[in-house]
Amino acid sequence: MSQHRVVITGMGVVAPNANNLSDFEQAVKSGISGIKYQPDLAALGFSCCIGGKPELGDALIGTYFDALELRNFNNNSIIYGVIAGMQAWQDAGLTILNADDEPDWDSGTIFGNGSSGVEKFREAIYKIDEGATKKLGSTTVVQIMVSGISAFLAGKIGLGNQVTTNSSACTTGTESLLMCYERIKTGKAKRMLAGSTSDSGPYIWAGFDAMKVCNFKHNDHAEKGSRPMSATASGFVPGSGAGALVLENLEDALKRGANIYAEVIGGAINAGGQRGSGTMTAPNSIAVQRCITDALKDANIHADEIDAINGHLTATTKDSLEIQNWATALQRNGNNFPYINALKSHVGHCLSASGSIECIAAALQIKHNFLFPNLNCEDLHPDIADIVSADKIPQQLIEQELNIIAKASFGFGDVNACAILKKYKD
């Protein structure tokens, strides 16, 4: 079977620090934090009262949804995902089909989600308990089903290839990218919309607050709260949003003169089976290292070829373990360790959307030759400083040529995904 090369030709993002690709690039270059104090969390007695939520106006939402669609609509994850997905499709210069057109049999989507329609589900429960089932409305099912996001995007664009939603905790977005990559590489689709989305607010974030894994020490200084790789990191800051990437076979991309952000040259997805050091919430280090080395093998590159890492790095006690796993897998440390940065210092942990938003940041770095700064790690954790030279963890924007970036995500359930992105050259 012939193998097709796969490139990224369109991207869209809804993040706590920006609602479009151009603003997002400028925000990450400038180190603009999207994390703010959330009064509703304080009113509900949360320990962590800060978070990252996209700020969407009615005008922006109205660009992608009509008034009928928004009637009785109460699902932020679908709104975030549709906006990001449509932005990516338009950024790629692809056609949105009319309602009476035949579906695009060569295009599909695998668009991930962690949980969907929690607010709508809560509303439905109260109405049912009150005996008002008939007042639920006709959109309840599509708002509650996790696959509502991929279904919405398929209808908006006219997708006729695979249309589905994956869900693998924090690895969801990177997993989506790799699943779409495989489908195009093997010729089962010409282009796929990869991405993931995550809802926001107390009903999504409460469980993490209850687990005491969120930062409660920076409620008065929200932008300082997300501190990956810092000695004073004290838990992650919850975030939300969506990221979307159009993946396309190289032949078709070149035929239509598409803008190419980066090439996806390989990757790996695995799990630690919650064995050894792995648990529902902690990684099996052997599995993490194996995921990284398998990704290198799949991409047919050597560890020394990696210029930078876009880490998972959540600002918890596992950050130093992640750095150690990278060092072991790559057999690189000190000054020989690649550059590494953590987008969560800018936007918080966007949960199921994190992988996609971070993949976009990685692709932008490759396309435009820069490394965005790590925020809030001026006090580098000593265990990390023992492994990596401080100058490999940039705290200011660095502009330099980048050829290959490794992007990894590690999630609850002891699941892992690592994608390898490369600069496209004619």
Side-chain angles (χ1 to χ4, degrees):
M1 181 186 296
S2 62
Q3 301 281 297
H4 298 272
R5 292 172 67 183
V6 181
V7 291
I8 299 169
T9 57
M11 299 194 294
V13 64
V14 173
N17 60 352
N19 290 327
N20 61 71
L21 189 64
S22 176
D23 288 350
F24 179 72
E25 180 181 346
Q26 292 307 310
V28 298
K29 281 182 172 180
S30 304
I32 296 174
S33 174
I35 297 169
K36 296 181 179 180
Y37 180 72
Q38 306 291 333
D40 58 335
L41 301 185
L44 291 168
F46 276 55
S47 297
C48 175
C49 300
I50 59 177
K53 293 176 66 173
E55 296 181 354
L56 305 180
D58 291 340
L60 177 61
I61 295 172
T63 303
Y64 300 96
F65 295 87
D66 60 38
L68 183 61
E69 288 175 316
L70 291 172
R71 185 180 178 185
N72 296 319
F73 203 88
N74 191 11
N75 187 314
N76 282 329
S77 65
I78 290 178
I79 290 174
Y80 297 158
V82 166
I83 293 174
M86 297 292 284
Q87 285 180 356
W89 204 255
Q90 292 162 338
D91 182 52
L94 293 168
T95 301
I96 295 172
L97 300 180
N98 295 319
D100 55 353
D101 288 334
E102 193 168 314
D104 180 352
W105 306 115
D106 294 319
S107 301
T109 184
I110 301 175
F111 211 99
N113 202 349
S115 57
S116 186
V118 175
E119 289 278 0
K120 191 66 178 180
F121 193 63
R122 175 178 178 269
E123 175 188 317
I125 289 171
Y126 278 110
K127 286 185 177 179
I128 292 168
D129 288 346
E130 292 166 1
T133 303
K134 294 180 180 179
K135 295 182 179 180
L136 286 179
S138 59
T139 64
T140 297
V141 172
V142 294
Q143 290 190 64
I144 289 175
M145 67 185 193
V146 176
S147 59
I149 177 56
S150 57
F152 257 92
L153 284 167
K156 292 279 186 183
I157 299 170
L159 304 175
N161 205 277
Q162 181 179 1
V163 171
T164 191
T165 293
N166 66 308
S167 186
S168 296
C170 311
T171 68
T172 298
T174 306
E175 179 185 75
S176 166
L177 179 87
L178 291 173
M179 292 169 73
C180 289
Y181 161 73
E182 289 290 342
R183 189 159 185 85
I184 298 168
K185 185 176 76 169
T186 56
K188 295 179 180 178
K190 289 186 176 180
R191 66 200 65 84
M192 294 288 292
L193 179 62
S196 61
T197 185
S198 179
D199 209 340
S200 58
Y203 296 108
I204 299 295
W205 297 339
F208 299 105
D209 197 75
M211 290 176 67
K212 302 186 185 302
V213 295
C214 296
N215 186 327
F216 62 90
K217 295 182 178 180
H218 291 82
N219 289 334
D220 295 331
H221 305 282
E223 71 282 357
K224 298 292 185 183
S226 187
R227 309 182 63 81
M229 297 184 284
S230 164
T232 51
S234 56
F236 75 77
V237 175
S240 57
L245 306 95
V246 173
L247 272 61
E248 188 170 0
N249 71 51
L250 179 61
E251 307 96 288
D252 282 292
L254 292 176
K255 281 179 184 176
R256 63 186 193 84
N259 174 45
I260 296 175
Y261 289 99
E263 183 173 2
V264 184
I265 59 171
I269 301 168
N270 76 357
Q274 299 172 44
R275 299 296 190 270
S277 60
T279 68
M280 181 62 74
T281 59
N284 177 333
S285 290
I286 300 301
V288 169
Q289 295 165 24
R290 185 184 183 101
C291 185
I292 295 166
T293 56
D294 284 352
L296 299 179
K297 291 176 185 175
D298 189 61
N300 194 29
I301 62 168
H302 191 272
D304 288 342
E305 296 179 72
I306 294 177
D307 298 310
I309 297 166
N310 188 280
H312 186 59
L313 297 169
T314 57
T316 65
T317 57
K318 300 302 179 184
D319 282 5
S320 56
L321 177 60
E322 179 178 336
I323 298 296
Q324 181 60 65
N325 284 332
W326 280 107
T328 301
L330 300 178
Q331 291 295 292
R332 297 174 64 179
N333 54 33
N335 287 321
N336 189 40
F337 196 88
Y339 286 102
I340 186 165
N341 50 20
L343 189 68
K344 292 180 180 70
S345 64
H346 297 236
V347 298
H349 190 344
C350 295
L351 305 175
S352 54
S354 62
S356 293
I357 296 173
E358 291 162 13
C359 282
I360 289 169
L364 286 172
Q365 289 182 116
I366 288 177
K367 177 69 173 177
H368 299 299
N369 296 310
F370 71 91
L371 287 155
F372 65 79
N374 292 285
L375 306 183
N376 305 323
C377 70
E378 61 279 355
D379 57 338
L380 189 61
H381 195 289
D383 291 345
I384 294 174
D386 287 342
I387 303 169
V388 185
S389 296
D391 61 357
K392 295 295 185 176
I393 304 174
Q395 297 185 47
Q396 303 293 330
L397 175 70
I398 295 177
E399 295 184 347
Q400 72 171 54
E401 183 83 9
L402 296 171
N403 190 44
I404 296 178
I405 292 181
K407 166 64 205 149
S409 299
F410 312 116
F412 274 21
D414 197 12
V415 292
N416 313 299
C418 181
I420 309 296
L421 306 184
K422 183 177 182 180
K423 184 182 293 295
Y424 171 72
K425 298 177 182 177
D426 292 336

